Amino acid sequence: MKTNSIKHIAVFTSGGDSPGMNATLYAIAKASEANGIKLSGIRKGYEGVIDGDLVSLNSNELKNVTQKGGTILKTARSKRFMELEGRKKALQTLKTNNIDALIAIGGDGTFKGLLAFSEICDIPFIGIPGTIDNDISGTDYTLGFDSAVNTAIENIDKIRDTAESHNRVFIVEVMGRDSGYIAIHSGLMVGADAILIPESGKDFIYLLDKIKNYDSEDAFLVVVSEGDEIGAELVSSKIKEVNANVDLRITRLGHVQRGGNPSALDRMLGIRLGVAAVDALLQGRKNIMAGVLNNQLHFTPFEEVVKEHQVNKELHQLLELFGK
Ligand code: F6P
C-alpha cells in the first residue's frame, strides 16, 4: 500500500564517491517524478544536511550524468555529524526545508551515521550502499565495486606487460580499506602469484613459500589490499630477506580506482536501488538499506548493515587454491 504523505524527498551522497552514484540519482528522480514527488539533492554529504545546502533535481538533467563517475552532488566525510549536536541541527534543517523523507547513498561510515541519526530522527530514510570497498552486509555488491575492480585489472594488466619484460616482482597495492574484496577479485582475474588480504592469515606464508624459489625467469605479481596489516613496504622487505636477488617494484593504484565511468553492472545496480528506495519510502518503510542479494532486491535494517562484512567461504577457498 502506498502512502501519500511523502511530497518531498531529499537525497545525498556521502563518504568516498563511487562510480554509479550519479546513475542512482537519475533513477531516484525518475521514480519520484512518476509519483508526483518533488526531489531535492543535498550537496556535500552530511555537511550539506546540517547546513541545508539544497538543489533541485530532475530526471531530464540527470539522464546525462549516468555515465559519469564521482558524484554531481559532491561528498564529504563530516566530523560535525558524528556529534549529537550536529545531528540535531541536521534534523532541524530537514524540517525547515519541509523534507518528508531522505535517501542516503554511501558506505560503512554513512550507515553508522544513519544508525545514530535514526535514534533522534522521525523523518523516514532509506540507505543505498555506495562504496568501492564492497564491505557492507545485506547486499552482494555495493555501487562502484565492479567499476573499481575493472579499473584495477585494467591497470594491473598493464603492469604485467612491463613486469614480464624485465622479469620483475611487482607488488600492487589496491584500495578497500579494511576489506580484501577488491584485492581478491582483481588478483584472481589478473593471475596474480600472491594475493594478500586483511581477512586471511595464511596468504603471506604462501607468498614467502613461493618466492623463496623464484628464479627471476618470469614476472611475479603480488596484489595486496591496502588494509592488509603487513603493507606493501614490509612485504617488499620480507621478500628480499628470503630471496635477495629479486628486482622489485611497488605500485599503489590509489584513487584512480575511485574514478572513471561506471560499469554496466554499477549503472544497473544504481537504477535498481534508486527506484527500490523510492518505492520503499512510499510503502511506509524506513531505516533500512536497499540492496541486492542473489540478484533479488533485499532490504536490511541499519543495525545489520553496520556489522562486519565477512569475505565468504568460497572466496577464501579460491584464495587458498590460487595462492599456494
Ligand atoms: O572507502 C572508499 C575508499 O576509497 C577506501 O578504499 C580508501 O581506504 C578510502 O576511501 C580513501 O579515503 P580518502 O579518499 O578520504 O583518502
Side-chain angles (χ1 to χ4, degrees), residues 16 77 131-133 175-177 226 255 258:
R77 302 190 196 276
T131 165
I132 63 165
D133 301 338
M175 275 190 167
R177 206 179 283 276
E226 65 174 354
H255 285 78
R258 283 250 291 270

Side-chain angles (χ1 to χ4, degrees), residues 22 39 67 69 87 92 96 101 109 141 149 156 171 182 186-187 237 266 293 307-308:
N22 291 326
L39 180 67
Q67 80 282 13
R87 295 195 289 276
Q92 194 47 51
T96 310
Y141 297 109
V149 171
I156 303 171
I171 300 174
I182 297 179
S186 58
S237 61
D266 279 327
L293 281 181
K307 283 186 184 158
E308 205 184 332

